[in-house]
Amino acid sequence: MGSESNEKLLGYLKRVTLDLHQARERLRELEEGDREPIAIVGMACRYPGGIDSPAALWRLLASGGEAVGAFPRDRGWDDGLHDPGNGGRSLTGSGGFLYDAADFDAGFFGISPREALAMDPQQRLLLETAWRAFEDAGIDPESVRDTETGVFTGLSCNDYGLGCGDVPEEAEGFLTTGTAGGVASGRISYTLGLRGPALTVETACSSSLVALHLAVQSLRRGECTMALAGGATIMATPQLFTEFTRMQGLSPDGRCRPFSAAAAGSGLSEGVGLLLVERLSDARRLGHPVLAVVRGSAVNQDGTSNGFTAPSGSAQQRVIRQALKDARLSPGDVQVVEASSTGTPLGDPIEARALLAAYRGERDQPLRLGSLKPNIGHSQAAAGVAGVMKTVLSMRYGRLPATLHVAEPTPHVDWSAGAVELVAEETAWPQTSGPRRAAVSSQGISGTNAHVIIEEAPVVLEEAPAGEELRPTGQDGPHLLTLSAKTPAALAELTARYAELLADCADGDQLASICRTTSLGRAHFTHRLTAVASSCAELRDLLTRTRQGEAPPPGVRVGARAP
């Protein structure tokens, strides 16, 4: 063979080798993308007890408080609904409610009063919560327009407008889109101009966790670059209370008692919660805050069980093992589980036994088991996402809030096995040589189960440039806070909210971060306030002294200008 032929053969082999190397690299990238952790970069919520942020949720949990209250008075519910002497149809007159569910700033989103009236409150609150989720991540919601951002929302109630008789004239032409469950996700995408997938999920109580699972899969497949995931439940009618009474599944005092010997039924409540999630590599590249990561998730179905509404312990074991496999973890790698438990004498022991079987494995210490449902009630389609938020906050603070109302654990579970331990009192997060990890469970009355593995945010160590020393930034004042809104009243409300936020602020980096975010991570509107201060306490004092209609204190400027 001549030298010319040898050179051609050598060139051909080089090209084949290069193609093979590139194919292997592409395969590796695809495999890593299919398994890449998904970062939680923003959280927003509304839950009973006036909870309007994750910080407020944590304050309630850390204090051991609960948010059960009387039936709302502004929904036209029959006064005799819970009147034993008058044939009351509901076993209880209590639950967890968003008493301000009817409030909505339609003008902020460019929605007419007529259309807002026809909109299901779940659509309204999801829209407001979506805006806040972006802001929590330090992202201007107006900056995501025309991006491949997805929306995955869970719903379980669709009773708005039922029983109202003739449609009010002012709502005509808007009721179809205002009450359609599928519009709940599409409304967010339309208003914010998002072009990723928009899905509404209805698997009853597991809806929001299933929505998160679908968002994670969509991100890993490259269908979207960022996603909102969560759910909402607002009960426009008392139908669930009357139906659960007939099913004998309602707690007489409206309180959940998970895994308790005193469990007597579920305490129904309302809520809205959304997470903003994206691939971990994208979050790091874009400088978004990583609150925690989703390591793995799984969804399955009970199939045929002992009854249509009876949970299947074997199916719950399978979904747990599927989620662990997806996360590439063993049972012993998870320290905590936020349970689906709703306080029913039948369902709770089945779930506990499934957890005992699936997480027994090789463990250095028992799996800690808890639930926030005694605090805020069973918020149905918003329950799973509430459990994720509690988990993320517990990781951040290193504390496990007490699970209320479990003075005596249910005798229908062999707790002596030692693999699972109820968190009946507040305790520190279990010691671990690796990252903090927890799982969140949801089981829907539909038979659809979901299990999600959450891991604390990975630590990224930055290297200082040659010849320089890394040091915290932003410790030296003064700092400039910029707030804006579309109306003077909205600006006054926003000012009050920031004054409350600053109560938990530490000086230095945290104050600098808050001020930077308000300048670069928020939309700017006509009515504006600026304040200059050197500490959190000083800034909070300035905002507290700022009153609508009065001259602002020195260091604060309020006015209107073109955005």
Side-chain angles (χ1 to χ4, degrees), residues 173-188:
F174 295 110
L175 201 59
T176 297
T177 53
T179 59
V183 175
S185 52
R187 176 87 64 179
I188 296 172

Side-chain angles (χ1 to χ4, degrees), residues 178-204:
T179 59
V183 175
S185 52
R187 176 87 64 179
I188 296 172
S189 296
Y190 172 80
T191 304
L192 301 182
L194 312 179
R195 294 186 173 181
L199 305 178
T200 301
V201 179
E202 210 289 87
T203 61

Side-chain angles (χ1 to χ4, degrees), residues 15 18 21 43 57 61 76 122 244 250-251 266 338 342 374 408 429 431 459 461 513 538:
R15 287 195 300 272
L18 178 60
H21 174 74
M43 304 192 300
L57 176 62
L61 296 173
Q122 295 173 134
F244 268 70
L250 196 62
S251 170
S266 183
E338 174 66 17
T342 60
E408 183 181 349
W429 191 283
Q431 292 292 326
V459 177
L461 299 177
S513 177
E538 182 184 358

Side-chain angles (χ1 to χ4, degrees), residues 289 473-474 479 481 508-520:
T473 60
H479 301 282
L481 180 79
D509 283 351
Q510 189 173 359
L511 178 57
S513 177
I514 290 173
C515 291
R516 182 180 184 277
T517 299
T518 59
S519 295
L520 303 179

Side-chain angles (χ1 to χ4, degrees), residues 196-228:
L199 305 178
T200 301
V201 179
E202 210 289 87
T203 61
C205 309
S206 59
S207 296
S208 63
L209 218 56
V210 172
L212 177 58
H213 169 77
L214 294 175
V216 167
Q217 300 302 313
S218 184
L219 285 165
R220 286 176 172 169
R221 286 194 297 265
E223 296 174 346
C224 56
T225 55
M226 188 181 291
L228 289 162

Side-chain angles (χ1 to χ4, degrees), residues 378-424:
H378 179 21
S379 53
Q380 304 169 74
V385 68
V388 173
M389 290 185 190
K390 173 194 171 183
T391 299
V392 173
L393 293 165
S394 296
M395 286 179 175
R396 177 188 302 175
Y397 293 106
R399 308 293 300 173
L400 299 178
T403 299
L404 308 180
H405 310 316
V406 286
E408 183 181 349
T410 174
H412 302 296
V413 174
D414 181 14
W415 300 104
S416 64
V420 174
E421 180 180 297
L422 285 172
V423 184

Side-chain angles (χ1 to χ4, degrees), residues 31-180:
E31 289 177 344
E32 289 182 354
D34 189 51
R35 298 285 185 174
E36 182 179 5
I38 300 301
I40 300 172
V41 299
M43 304 192 300
C45 65
R46 299 274 293 278
Y47 286 103
I51 294 171
D52 59 1
S53 67
L57 176 62
W58 179 253
R59 285 195 293 269
L60 180 78
L61 296 173
S63 67
E66 58 180 3
V68 175
F71 282 171
R73 306 292 299 176
D74 63 346
R75 303 186 192 180
W77 294 11
D78 183 359
D79 289 339
L81 187 63
H82 175 59
D83 185 356
N86 193 30
R89 292 167 289 127
S90 174
L91 180 64
T92 183
S94 302
F97 298 99
L98 301 188
Y99 294 113
D100 58 353
D103 297 343
F104 178 57
D105 190 352
F108 180 87
F109 294 103
I111 297 172
S112 72
R114 290 181 58 206
E115 185 172 9
L117 175 65
M119 286 171 60
D120 188 325
Q122 295 173 134
Q123 289 190 25
R124 306 178 204 160
L125 294 177
L126 279 168
L127 193 53
E128 292 181 340
T129 307
W131 185 277
R132 290 184 175 179
F134 281 110
E135 289 193 330
D136 187 64
I139 299 171
D140 178 355
E142 295 189 338
S143 71
V144 296
R145 186 169 297 276
D146 295 330
T147 64
E148 302 300 316
T149 299
V151 181
F152 300 81
T153 59
L155 288 183
S156 61
C157 283
N158 190 26
D159 56 359
Y160 184 66
L162 293 181
C164 66
D166 294 335
V167 177
E169 182 178 350
E170 58 268 31
E172 289 181 350
F174 295 110
L175 201 59
T176 297
T177 53
T179 59

